[in-house]
Amino acid sequence: MSFRCNAAFSLFLLSNPKFIRSFASTRLYSQIFHEEEKDNLVSSFNHLLLGHNPTPSIIEFNKILGSLVRAKHYSTAVSLHRQLELKTGIESSLVTLSILINCFSQLGHISLSFSVFANILKMGYHPDVITLTTLIKGLCLKGHLHLALQFHDNLLAHGYHLNQVSYGTLINGLCKGGQTTSALQLLRRVDGKLVQPDVVMYTTIIDNAIGLLHKMILENINPDVYTFNTLVDAFCKEGKLKEAKNVLAAMMKKSIKPDVYSFNSLMDGYCLLNDVRKANDIFNSMAQMGVTSNVYSYTIMINGFCKIKMVDKAMNLFQEMHHKNIIPNTITYSSLIDGLCKFGRISYALKLVDEMHDRCQPPNIITYNPILDAFCKNNHLDKAIVLLTKIKEKGIQPDMFSYNILINGLCKGGRLEDAQKVFEDLLVKGYTLDVYTYNTMINGFCNKSLFDEALAMMSKMKDNGCIPDAITYETLILSLFKENENDKAEKLFTEMIARGLL
């Protein structure tokens, strides 16, 4: 079901004129609802603070503070936290302090953000990457780019690890502050050593880097192959292959020979556009240009062929790697396994997993998820459960995608109670469940006409800080409408409008 109204939901609207009339005051109602939501959260917070004996744990307060932050009521969250400190002896947790840092950063109070950060360290907490990224973002928003870079270097020196979001935030700040050279230098430091650069980093730099390249050439500063490759890769990840080829032409004009990374970027760009034929032409022409294909070249093409359902072509390339003594890596195997599973060739995919162990290329959860998905889609649910157990026994931690696959498979296979057990187990173990997980369970309940359970699940969803999306509402409204529960459907529809989801 798409984010916008699907055909069934549109039919529901057309057959209920009073619902259509609700659109007349949508914007005003949305504003009123937004304020009402804030008031409800504040009321809930005060009820926890004053109406319970003993006072609830900090976890309950964090849920409400987190909801306020998601609704961008930063000042209110700070004010409520002050009340919590004054009226109870509850110690703030790492989550509480991270929420405060986010609030102060968004409000532009950087000194207060770092004061809270100092408290985190003083209390012996180990700040997570989200907290560190929030601090970097706060410095960038205030234009303190030198301090942001300095803070980044200090974090690395003390053994902290940042992720793609952290570097994307810092690179974005540098580019917006006109420090594209520093952004490129940082990207060079990051590339494959600290984290793998993603499309956000490249996209951020791309608008600034062309101007920088022209400036370098005008000032007789010769860009090297890395500078050109950075631009080629950035354009390719944006799907701007014409611009990428222009940079490649400029590169050759400066007598800088494209290397395997230049061609890999082009191939990857064409594969992203599903023009695998063109990518294959480049792959085949590399040898004529005196460039030797590497494991990444083959992996890009194998993944490309699998995506367009040409698994036999992918298999041929995989065999070619063996003949050339190029060892496939985990990504190569995972791409091929994904393609095989989508075609129902599960037994061969499992043989490849065994081969990975023999070649010391350990499979990861990305390798196993397609197999898990194939088992579920073919209604081999017990095999899926056994596989998930084996994965855990091997020390590989399933991700939310793994659990979502299993819960969805169990619901569709009519094993709703088993799906509930998995779902509840995840909650007990402290997993943060996403909107897809809740929607899957809600849909499972609706399919069994268990509407009270479905509505209770939506309520639990909100309580746990997961915001219902358009699919949540559409699933419930359509199901209630079919069962002539029109009053409940209308109430949800009004709420859906108020949240701006229609």
Side-chain angles (χ1 to χ4, degrees):
M1 193 181 291
S2 66
F3 186 77
R4 294 181 181 277
C5 292
N6 62 17
F9 197 67
S10 300
L11 181 62
F12 163 66
L13 293 178
L14 291 170
S15 60
N16 289 268
K18 62 180 178 179
F19 281 19
I20 296 293
R21 288 196 294 274
S22 299
F23 279 105
S25 57
T26 296
R27 182 171 295 179
L28 176 61
Y29 193 93
S30 182
Q31 291 169 353
I32 294 169
F33 189 89
H34 189 64
E35 286 302 313
E36 186 181 319
E37 185 180 31
K38 182 183 80 170
D39 292 341
N40 287 339
L41 288 168
V42 172
S43 176
S44 298
F45 190 93
N46 289 331
H47 180 67
L48 283 178
L49 196 64
L50 305 170
H52 283 264
N53 190 15
T55 306
S57 73
I58 190 64
I59 295 170
E60 299 305 316
F61 292 103
N62 287 343
K63 287 178 183 178
I64 297 174
L65 292 174
S67 295
L68 284 166
V69 169
R70 279 189 290 275
K72 300 183 179 180
H73 298 304
Y74 306 116
S75 299
T76 305
V78 171
S79 176
L80 291 181
H81 178 261
R82 283 182 188 144
Q83 288 184 44
L84 181 64
E85 284 187 319
L86 289 171
K87 295 179 181 177
T88 73
I90 298 175
E91 188 177 82
S92 295
S93 68
L94 176 59
V95 174
T96 323
L97 297 173
S98 297
I99 288 170
L100 275 182
I101 285 176
N102 191 11
C103 290
F104 287 134
S105 294
Q106 293 291 343
L107 293 168
H109 304 317
I110 304 304
S111 58
L112 292 176
S113 295
F114 275 90
S115 176
V116 177
F117 181 62
N119 281 337
I120 286 176
L121 299 177
K122 196 183 297 181
M123 294 167 75
Y125 290 127
H126 189 80
D128 61 18
V129 70
I130 297 172
T131 305
L132 301 175
T133 304
T134 303
L135 287 163
I136 290 171
K137 185 178 182 180
L139 288 168
C140 290
L141 286 172
K142 293 294 284 185
H144 303 318
L145 301 176
H146 177 70
L147 289 176
L149 282 170
Q150 197 175 61
F151 180 58
H152 161 266
D153 292 344
N154 286 336
L155 289 173
L156 294 187
H158 285 87
Y160 289 101
H161 296 285
L162 299 174
N163 61 13
Q164 291 174 327
V165 177
S166 316
Y167 283 104
T169 301
L170 187 49
I171 286 169
N172 183 51
L174 291 168
C175 286
K176 284 185 175 177
Q179 296 190 26
T180 312
T181 306
S182 297
L184 279 168
Q185 288 171 348
L186 179 62
L187 189 64
R188 184 176 296 201
R189 285 176 63 190
V190 166
D191 193 5
K193 303 177 189 75
L194 301 174
V195 296
Q196 191 64 37
D198 65 359
V199 68
V200 176
M201 298 184 207
Y202 285 118
T203 304
T204 303
I205 285 178
I206 201 168
D207 294 330
N208 303 273
I210 290 295
L212 177 68
L213 183 61
H214 288 313
K215 185 180 176 185
M216 289 172 75
I217 292 169
L218 287 171
E219 293 177 2
N220 291 318
I221 302 170
N222 289 322
D224 59 13
V225 67
Y226 184 90
T227 308
F228 280 111
N229 279 348
T230 299
L231 288 172
V232 171
D233 204 28
F235 278 125
C236 288
K237 282 183 166 61
E238 279 284 281
K240 298 178 178 178
L241 274 297
K242 183 180 177 182
E243 290 86 343
K245 285 158 66 176
N246 289 340
V247 173
L248 207 62
M251 183 178 181
M252 290 189 279
K253 194 174 180 181
K254 297 287 289 182
S255 299
I256 298 174
K257 185 182 176 183
D259 59 15
V260 66
Y261 301 104
S262 317
F263 288 110
N264 284 349
S265 293
L266 276 178
M267 286 155 48
D268 200 26
Y270 279 114
C271 285
L272 285 171
L273 295 176
N274 283 328
D275 194 348
V276 182
R277 183 191 61 78
K278 188 66 177 175
N280 196 43
D281 289 343
I282 294 167
F283 178 78
N284 292 330
S285 69
M286 285 170 68
Q288 298 167 9
M289 301 279 288
V291 178
T292 304
S293 303
N294 61 15
V295 63
Y296 299 105
S297 315
Y298 279 95
T299 300
I300 288 164
M301 290 310 307
I302 286 170
N303 187 52
F305 280 126
C306 286
K307 294 293 183 193
I308 61 168
K309 302 179 181 179
M310 295 180 69
V311 181
D312 289 333
K313 280 271 191 182
M315 287 291 296
N316 290 339
L317 282 179
F318 187 73
Q319 294 302 324
E320 189 177 305
M321 292 179 77
H322 282 283
H323 295 317
K324 291 187 176 181
N325 292 319
I326 299 172
I327 307 297
N329 61 23
T330 301
I331 301 171
T332 320
Y333 278 107
S334 298
S335 298
L336 189 53
I337 286 167
D338 184 44
L340 289 166
C341 286
K342 282 183 168 63
F343 271 80
R345 294 162 70 175
I346 307 173
S347 57
Y348 195 83
L350 290 169
K351 285 180 184 176
L352 285 182
V353 172
D354 293 335
E355 186 180 308
M356 289 178 77
H357 287 292
D358 295 339
R359 285 178 163 243
C360 298
Q361 296 292 330
N364 56 27
I365 195 60
I366 296 170
T367 315
Y368 282 111
N369 279 342
I371 302 172
L372 192 67
D373 189 46
F375 278 145
C376 287
K377 283 178 177 171
N378 287 280
N379 210 29
H380 300 316
L381 298 173
D382 290 326
K383 287 184 179 180
I385 293 167
V386 169
L387 177 62
L388 201 64
T389 304
K390 283 183 179 177
I391 290 169
K392 289 192 235 180
E393 287 172 354
K394 291 176 185 289
I396 299 170
Q397 185 59 44
D399 56 16
M400 274 313 303
F401 189 63
S402 319
Y403 288 114
N404 283 339
I405 289 169
L406 184 59
I407 290 170
N408 187 47
L410 290 167
C411 285
K412 287 185 175 177
R415 291 168 61 170
L416 186 58
E417 287 184 9
D418 290 333
Q420 271 184 277
K421 286 176 186 174
V422 176
F423 179 88
E424 294 298 336
D425 186 53
L426 291 173
L427 282 180
V428 169
K429 289 178 178 174
Y431 278 81
T432 302
L433 307 187
D434 58 24
V435 67
Y436 180 88
T437 320
Y438 284 101
N439 285 348
T440 302
M441 288 304 305
I442 288 168
N443 190 54
F445 285 127
C446 287
N447 286 339
K448 294 278 187 181
S449 297
L450 299 170
F451 300 115
D452 288 340
E453 287 85 347
L455 290 167
M457 183 61 70
M458 187 184 193
S459 180
K460 181 184 286 189
M461 181 181 189
K462 293 175 183 176
D463 291 342
N464 290 336
C466 185
I467 309 300
D469 64 5
I471 294 172
T472 318
Y473 285 98
E474 286 180 16
T475 302
L476 280 162
I477 291 168
L478 280 169
S479 299
L480 289 166
F481 177 63
K482 284 176 186 174
E483 295 295 319
N484 293 319
E485 296 277 2
N486 293 339
D487 289 341
K488 290 179 181 177
E490 184 178 355
K491 183 181 176 184
L492 285 175
F493 180 74
T494 305
E495 188 178 314
M496 185 181 183
I497 293 173
R499 289 185 180 273
L501 294 175
L502 199 61

